[in-house]
Amino acid sequence: MQVYDLAVIGGGAAGFFGALQTAEMKPGSRILILEKSNKLLSKVRISGGGRCNVTHACFEPGPLSRHYPRGEKLLKNLFRAFQAKDTVAWFASRGVNLKVEDDGRMFPDTDSSETIIDCFRREAQRHRVAIEVGTGEVTVQPGPAHFSLTTQHGMTLQAHQVLVATGGHANPQAYQWLAALGHTVVRPIPSLFTLNDSQKDFRDLMGIAVPHAEVRIATTKFSETGPVLITHWGLSGPAVIRLSAWAAAYLHEAHYQCTALVSWIGPAQEEATRQLLQEHKAAHGKQRIYSHPLFSLPQRLWQKLCTLATIDESRIWAELPQKNLNKLLEYLIRCPFQIKGKTTFKEEFVTCGGVDLKEINPETLESRVVKNLFFAGEVLNIDGETGGFNFQAAWTTSHLAARQIAATIQHR
């Protein structure tokens, strides 16, 4: 029976990087990646619309860790050892240069995820990392000297150490084998999704984006600022998706029903905004309200807000009653959307939940429950905002796990 120094369960970002890092730190190690599907690095391939959002241009451990609704405290420490600038350097040293976009996201300068996949495959070949795809579910049995692993198709092997990098799953059953090993699994629920508007009042504006809006959930403290996109199903864009991450547990408990309040002009004080409208009314009395958007809003959105405020198309500012000005103000800074349901892009599913961090050594990512069992990536109860943060958590956790794994490999 084949015996490996390390068996990696999961052929995604964290699994691959963990295998490569171990191989680099301990040359000559016998390493095997087991992937249950027939596709390696599937999330890498589709991330960022096929461009692969590798990481985010945030190069200080503290600020970087604050982009993680779950796992911030653990990652703040881990980022001191391996963070975004280390990711950039690792890829650059292998001929893959990353570029920064205006919003901080980082992509390969080829704008193709295949560049990242090709890099990983080359490195795996160079370090002679073995790969098995289509294994189905893998059973893991700890033993006194090694683990015994059996694939769904009957392949058996032994490994002195195991790295679990199976990613996040919507189905709690996917974590059952880890619970059977004694681990506590925080119930997996969706994170990073868009919000469905039950009334569809803005459906005719689908495709319109506002670069600096604020979205908050009524009666809560959950609020995010940034680009908001109107879609045929409701609300999307970075601000909405970030909000879904921070409010994931709340929204799950509320069965994805709530009132979302949008300020189309970003964080705004009510009285200050009312004053601006009053001043504009005084200075531009003869101007037709409907035809001249304020706050640099898209014309069709401005006209929709005027219609909701029952402002006639021919009305000029001088003739605007105070009650209509107040209504316009309300729709500018507290435009209500009755949310009922969400839209999750299944291929890019991100979970809030996973293996409880209390049962993981915070320096080595080794299980406190089963010796020589390690974890990396989204299988842990760690998830980040959209923008490359989830991949960075994968690179960092797999690097730290690999460091400990490599330090304890004894070549026989």
Side-chain angles (χ1 to χ4, degrees), residues 35-240:
E35 168 54 43
K36 72 174 183 178
S37 74
N38 291 312
K39 297 177 182 177
L40 293 166
L41 299 163
S42 56
K43 269 196 178 181
V44 170
R45 178 167 276 111
I46 63 172
S47 159
R51 295 194 298 145
C52 189
N53 184 184
V54 178
T55 187
H56 200 94
C58 182
F59 303 123
E60 293 295 332
L64 182 57
S65 70
R66 288 196 282 275
H67 291 277
Y68 295 84
R70 268 87 28 199
E72 175 183 352
K73 184 178 177 183
L74 172 69
L75 288 172
K76 185 177 181 180
N77 289 326
L78 298 184
F79 286 150
R80 293 190 177 105
F82 193 94
Q83 51 125 313
K85 70 179 180 184
D86 301 299
T87 299
V88 174
W90 189 89
F91 280 104
S93 69
R94 286 152 183 82
V96 177
N97 294 314
L98 304 183
K99 63 178 181 178
V100 185
E101 303 212 331
D102 290 344
D103 59 4
R105 292 181 300 162
M106 299 193 74
F107 295 88
D109 59 9
T110 59
D111 279 328
S112 173
S113 58
E114 294 302 322
T115 302
I116 305 300
I117 293 169
D118 290 345
C119 173
F120 280 166
R121 285 185 171 278
R122 280 196 310 272
E123 290 297 299
Q125 193 170 26
R126 184 164 72 89
H127 290 290
R128 298 185 179 179
V129 173
I131 301 170
E132 288 284 342
V133 297
T135 64
E137 302 296 335
V138 177
T139 60
V140 178
Q141 187 64 45
H146 50 66
F147 293 88
S148 297
L149 292 86
T150 306
T151 71
Q152 197 170 320
H153 306 300
M155 174 186 174
T156 59
L157 61 121
Q158 294 177 343
H160 295 289
Q161 300 183 85
V162 170
L163 174 62
V164 180
T166 47
H169 295 273
N171 186 355
Q173 291 299 315
Y175 300 85
Q176 196 57 47
W177 68 281
L178 293 170
L181 289 174
H183 271 284
T184 303
V185 177
V186 178
R187 178 181 58 178
I189 60 175
S191 182
L192 302 187
F193 48 84
T194 60
L195 301 175
N196 296 350
D197 173 20
S198 62
Q199 297 179 326
K200 304 285 193 294
D201 286 342
F202 283 72
R203 191 172 189 170
D204 56 326
L205 300 185
M206 59 180 285
I208 285 180
V210 176
H212 188 65
E214 180 187 55
V215 188
R216 60 188 178 90
I217 299 173
T219 74
T220 76
K221 294 181 179 178
F222 295 114
S223 173
E224 289 294 328
T225 301
V228 169
L229 172 69
I230 300 170
T231 68
H232 69 276
W233 63 83
L235 295 171
S236 185
V240 172

Side-chain angles (χ1 to χ4, degrees), residues 387-410:
F389 298 106
N390 285 294
F391 274 142
Q392 185 55 54
W395 315 138
T396 295
T397 51
S398 55
H399 170 86
L400 269 296
R403 192 166 72 177
Q404 180 64 20
I405 292 166
T408 54
I409 288 176
Q410 297 176 3

